[in-house]
Amino acid sequence: MCALANGTVVVFRRDNDGRWDLSKYHSVTLGPPQNAARCLVSVNSKRVWCGYKNKVHIIHPRSLVVIVCIIIMYDIKCSK
C-alpha cells in the first residue's frame, strides 16, 4: 500500500510467483484531492490504518473497504 498526496491509498498485489505486480493496482479514495493521505501502517496484517486530515481511516487490506473512520478532535485550551 502507498499513501498518496491526492487523498488516495494505492494497493499493489503480488503475482503467482510472489513478486509485486506493479502493472496493476487498486485505489481507495479517502477524500478530496486537496489533502494528502499520510501515516500508513499495517496492524497485525488484518487492518491498515491511514491518517487523512484529522481522521484515521481503518481499511481491510483484502476487500479495500474502509471499516471505520475515526475523527480526531482536540481542545486547544488544554489545562494541566
Side-chain angles (χ1 to χ4, degrees):
M1 290 190 148
C2 300
L4 302 180
N6 66 354
T8 304
V9 174
V10 176
V11 180
F12 295 94
R13 307 258 190 219
R14 293 183 184 268
D15 62 16
N16 293 335
D17 297 325
R19 294 177 298 213
W20 291 108
D21 185 358
L22 302 178
S23 65
K24 301 174 192 165
Y25 64 90
H26 306 277
S27 63
V28 178
T29 302
L30 301 179
Q34 293 85 355
N35 299 292
R38 303 176 184 263
C39 307
L40 189 66
V41 65
S42 173
V43 178
N44 296 330
S45 299
K46 296 180 180 179
R47 302 286 185 262
V48 175
W49 290 45
C50 182
Y52 173 79
K53 290 182 71 173
N54 67 327
K55 301 175 185 175
V56 176
H57 294 267
I58 301 175
I59 303 169
H60 187 275
R62 294 272 182 215
S63 67
L64 303 179
V65 172
V66 176
I67 301 167
V68 175
C69 179
I70 303 167
I71 298 174
I72 308 299
M73 301 188 66
Y74 59 90
D75 185 0
I76 297 174
K77 300 175 187 177
C78 293
S79 60
K80 294 183 181 181

